[in-house]
Amino acid sequence: EAGVTQFPSHSVIEKGQTVTLRCDPISGHDNLYWYRRVMGKEIKFLLHFVKESKQDESGMPNNRFLAERTGGTYSTLKVQPAELEDSGVYFCASSQDNIWTGGDYGYTFGSGTRLTVV
Amino acid sequence: GENVEQHPSTLSVQEGDSAVIKCTYSDSASNYFPWYKQELGKGSQLIIDIRSNVGEKKDQRIAVTLNKTAKHFSLHITETQPEDSAVYFCAASRLDTGRRALTFGSGTRLQVQP
């Protein structure tokens, strides 16, 4: 089974430019999450999709960040325009809750995209 | 909101020794506590989790304990091996709401010396 795939693995852009990160979840996983770790601090939640719908976007820092998940498959996270403080590692994760059998709530994380804004 | 603190930030042990990583959380309503292992260049992998209705869970050399009263939980790795070297993250969440957001600790870099 393929894991969660993120690309690019690294991105270096100038302040003011636009960057789009992509995440391909595990096939069949309805839940997709974006997290980020900035400046070596804690990993912080950004948002949660259930299929194509935004279930929770309480962690999105500001309107320069736009996440989409068209068709409920892969997701993109666009930063426009990028600022220096956006530098960090952006993680995507997916999960397939199984409420009825009390199944695995655990996420599978991708390896992350390291974004550097200069 | 929830706040999770994790200690120590780095931990070095000799192969075969035990390692313990501790986390505290602030929201008494949190009821799900997973632990993730992140190896260099790889995604974080869930290694064990515990729900608030149990106090301890074991899986081979790995165990997690939870003290709801004190609001802390710990990861125990016994008979450590070099391949256990990685960064470990604890997290807390609530499963009784529609939210699935995890609040993470700051991570512990474990180094197992052969």
Side-chain angles (χ1 to χ4, degrees):
Chain A
E1 173 183 81
V4 176
T5 305
Q6 290 187 249
F7 48 92
S9 57
H10 294 84
S11 180
V12 181
I13 62 171
E14 293 183 349
K15 176 183 175 181
Q17 289 186 323
T18 297
V19 62
T20 300
L21 314 181
R22 173 167 168 151
C23 170
D24 286 72
I26 291 175
S27 177
H29 279 194
D30 289 340
N31 297 278
L32 186 149
Y33 317 83
W34 284 98
Y35 286 79
R36 73 172 179 174
R37 190 179 191 196
V38 174
M39 295 292 289
K41 296 182 179 178
E42 295 85 358
I43 301 171
K44 294 287 191 182
F45 169 79
L46 295 177
L47 88 159
H48 169 208
F49 284 99
V50 177
K51 297 184 180 179
E52 68 274 12
S53 299
K54 293 177 184 176
Q55 177 77 12
D56 180 357
E57 51 185 329
S58 61
M60 295 288 266
N62 52 62
N63 58 10
R64 295 186 294 103
F65 289 76
L66 175 64
E68 295 180 324
R69 193 183 182 194
T70 305
T73 54
Y74 71 90
S75 174
T76 58
L77 179 65
K78 179 189 290 186
V79 185
Q80 179 183 27
E83 299 289 345
L84 298 178
E85 62 264 26
D86 300 331
S87 296
V89 182
Y90 289 76
F91 293 99
C92 175
S94 70
S95 73
Q96 183 58 56
D97 292 349
N98 189 336
I99 299 173
W100 305 110
T101 62
D104 182 8
Y105 288 96
Y107 298 3
T108 299
F109 278 89
S111 55
T113 294
R114 181 174 295 277
L115 175 64
T116 302
V117 183
V118 297
Chain B
E2 174 67 278
N3 181 53
V4 176
E5 294 191 359
Q6 183 172 346
H7 299 280
S9 57
T10 60
L11 179 60
S12 182
V13 300
Q14 290 294 125
E15 182 177 358
D17 288 350
S18 295
V20 180
I21 303 171
K22 299 181 179 181
C23 289
T24 60
Y25 61 99
S26 61
D27 186 356
S28 57
S30 289
N31 54 17
Y32 175 65
F33 308 94
W35 285 88
Y36 289 87
K37 175 183 180 183
Q38 185 175 34
E39 296 175 89
L40 190 64
K42 298 182 180 179
S44 297
Q45 174 191 4
L46 175 71
I47 56 172
I48 196 167
D49 57 11
I50 191 168
R51 302 184 192 184
S52 59
N53 57 345
V54 298
E56 184 175 6
K57 183 177 179 180
K58 290 183 179 180
D59 183 3
Q60 299 182 340
R61 297 186 296 109
I62 296 173
V64 56
T65 59
L66 171 65
N67 183 326
K68 289 189 293 183
T69 303
K71 290 189 285 189
H72 68 69
F73 56 111
S74 300
L75 177 70
H76 304 254
I77 305 174
T78 59
E79 301 173 19
T80 54
Q81 301 168 4
E83 52 264 36
D84 295 329
S85 297
V87 180
Y88 291 81
F89 292 94
C90 65
S93 180
R94 290 183 63 177
L95 294 182
D96 56 337
T97 69
R99 298 189 73 225
R100 288 290 183 266
L102 294 173
T103 301
F104 282 90
S106 53
T108 297
R109 182 174 299 278
L110 173 65
Q111 183 69 43
V112 180
Q113 306 289 346

